[in-house]
Amino acid sequence: MTTKLTAADGASRRRFLKGATVAAAVPAAAALLGGALPGTAAATDTTALPDYAPIPSGSVGPALNADGYFVGRIKGNLYWVTDSYYQAMFLTTREGVVLVDAPPTIGHNLLRAIEQVTRANGMPGKVTHLVYSHSHADHIGASAILGKDVVRIGHTETRRLLRLDRDPNRPVPTVTFDDRYVLKVGGERLELAHHGPNHSPDNIFIYAPDQATLMVVDVLYPGWVPFKNLAVSQDIPGWVKAHDVAMDYPWQTLVGGHLGRLGVRADGDLQKQYMADLDASVRNASATVDPTPYFQKYGPTGNSWAIFKAYLDAVAQQAADPVIAKYTGTLAAADVFTADNAFTLLESLRIDGGQLGPFGIRP
């Protein structure tokens, strides 16, 4: 059975994404999806959900409009748009609009934001070029709404990955590059560069020199700790190195691809300090947590995975605790994802760095 969404449904969904109550939204969503899964708890019961520390005021972005987005000028003809979860960036030019990324949670609000801006500044409102920061669907999954005539630009690896994914919502780029590419449209300029794998094999840096603005996605999170498991990055050493690459650019404004506000250079410095503290804490915990109890408890049962889980979780939590204490109130969600981030950094130190701890060469 196919459910057809009407214009009214679309307006309701925008209100839901802007912040409608869970109690009101879940029954409607369940109806669209054919009902709740058997055996699942009612989503309206929030009493069992954990509480987290308040979000620092400095981590909060501007208020959203009635359609659930904010659009603002960065400098000159460069603008950004957010729904407080994701971000995109666009340049208005005398020849059309250059958009960087098309996050599906923003979706058609991208077109509304562009129309709002170009109506005000008298520039053409048609999107002529779309730059892909990388291949992941959560950042470019609304590409298809721009139609077939848009020039899509991305890294060579982005094209390869999208050909494998075969997602109609993410058409493959028509223009690709390996190391660097300069995009000039209607008197405006973007400098695209690939500095090696980091969050993903194809994640690129997009720099607007005239506006001193850098967009690099899923690396720096202004005002917040990185997303779970260090942004579920595929190359952790490369992702850590990308912090230094980003800070080597002479930017004054950062578009990080996530959450509700832009970044300044102090945000990059703060996240680098967070990562340095987490690294030091993980190294210390891995040297001090005694693995003996975990081998004694689960070894006789033959449950090898239980040994790994219990030991690695204990190291990650011990490493996370002092970092959570230091950054709660300074970086939003320090108490939400730091233990996950410690676990991922621990695994990278083991697998990439060869610091195997109790799982090293048998004496």
Side-chain angles (χ1 to χ4, degrees), residues 66-150:
D67 279 329
Y69 71 90
F70 171 85
V71 61
R73 172 182 275 140
I74 297 175
K75 184 179 179 181
N77 290 322
L78 184 64
Y79 298 82
W80 71 297
V81 57
T82 183
D83 61 354
S84 292
Y85 301 106
Y86 286 83
Q87 300 172 357
M89 179 175 82
F90 63 92
L91 270 166
T92 62
T93 84
R94 59 176 179 264
E95 295 177 7
V97 176
V98 178
L99 176 64
V100 184
D101 279 358
T105 66
I106 305 178
H108 288 272
N109 278 342
L110 289 168
L111 302 180
R112 297 182 183 96
I114 289 168
E115 196 277 334
Q116 175 184 339
V117 166
T118 54
R119 185 179 65 245
N121 70 11
M123 293 282 196
K126 179 178 175 57
V127 177
T128 58
H129 296 75
L130 172 61
V131 175
Y132 287 163
S133 66
H134 62 304
S135 67
H136 290 172
D138 62 326
H139 287 279
I140 64 168
S143 174
I145 71 173
L146 300 171
K148 297 180 179 180
D149 296 332
V150 173

Side-chain angles (χ1 to χ4, degrees), residues 1-332:
M1 176 179 178
T2 301
T3 302
K4 182 177 180 180
L5 297 178
T6 66
D9 292 325
S12 297
R13 182 171 180 272
R14 293 197 298 276
R15 287 194 296 272
F16 164 62
L17 290 173
K18 185 176 182 292
T21 62
V22 173
V26 168
L32 286 173
L33 296 172
L37 294 175
T40 56
T44 51
D45 180 9
T46 62
T47 57
L49 296 177
D51 293 319
Y52 294 109
I55 301 301
S57 59
S59 302
V60 179
L64 306 182
N65 64 16
D67 279 329
Y69 71 90
F70 171 85
V71 61
R73 172 182 275 140
I74 297 175
K75 184 179 179 181
N77 290 322
L78 184 64
Y79 298 82
W80 71 297
V81 57
T82 183
D83 61 354
S84 292
Y85 301 106
Y86 286 83
Q87 300 172 357
M89 179 175 82
F90 63 92
L91 270 166
T92 62
T93 84
R94 59 176 179 264
E95 295 177 7
V97 176
V98 178
L99 176 64
V100 184
D101 279 358
T105 66
I106 305 178
H108 288 272
N109 278 342
L110 289 168
L111 302 180
R112 297 182 183 96
I114 289 168
E115 196 277 334
Q116 175 184 339
V117 166
T118 54
R119 185 179 65 245
N121 70 11
M123 293 282 196
K126 179 178 175 57
V127 177
T128 58
H129 296 75
L130 172 61
V131 175
Y132 287 163
S133 66
H134 62 304
S135 67
H136 290 172
D138 62 326
H139 287 279
I140 64 168
S143 174
I145 71 173
L146 300 171
K148 297 180 179 180
D149 296 332
V150 173
V151 177
R152 292 173 168 87
I153 304 164
H155 191 259
T156 303
E157 184 72 359
T158 301
R159 178 166 61 183
R160 185 187 73 83
L161 292 168
L162 290 179
R163 281 176 170 171
L164 291 174
D165 291 341
R166 300 171 62 89
D167 181 358
N169 289 318
R170 291 176 287 159
V172 299
T174 49
V175 176
T176 61
F177 67 97
D178 290 324
D179 298 316
R180 296 181 183 276
Y181 183 87
V182 177
L183 175 62
K184 297 179 181 179
V185 179
E188 300 291 345
R189 175 188 181 98
L190 290 178
E191 298 175 357
L192 316 182
H194 183 251
H195 296 284
N198 50 76
H199 168 67
S200 66
D202 60 325
N203 201 28
I204 65 171
F205 293 68
I206 303 106
Y207 184 58
D210 293 340
Q211 294 83 10
T213 297
L214 176 69
M215 182 168 177
V216 57
V217 172
D218 289 325
V219 175
L220 296 174
Y221 292 79
W224 295 69
V225 301
F227 185 71
K228 183 180 177 73
N229 299 126
L230 299 180
V232 291
S233 296
Q234 294 171 260
D235 186 329
I236 298 303
W239 182 83
V240 173
K241 180 183 176 183
H243 290 62
D244 291 327
V245 175
M247 296 305 289
D248 283 343
Y249 279 83
W251 57 270
Q252 297 301 315
T253 303
L254 177 85
V255 182
H258 275 288
L259 303 164
R261 74 166 174 85
L262 298 171
V264 296
R265 295 197 66 86
D267 292 312
D269 293 333
L270 183 58
Q271 185 167 314
K272 285 187 64 177
Q273 186 60 56
Y274 169 88
M275 287 304 304
D277 288 342
L278 190 61
D279 180 83
S281 194
V282 167
R283 292 174 188 271
N284 178 68
S286 63
T288 57
V289 172
D290 182 6
T292 304
Y294 311 105
F295 282 91
Q296 290 176 337
K297 170 70 174 178
Y298 301 111
T301 70
N303 194 336
S304 300
W305 273 181
I307 297 172
F308 272 82
K309 173 177 171 54
Y311 171 75
L312 296 174
D313 284 352
V315 173
Q317 192 61 58
Q318 180 169 309
D321 286 343
V323 180
I324 292 171
K326 177 176 179 178
Y327 287 95
T328 295
T330 301
L331 286 176

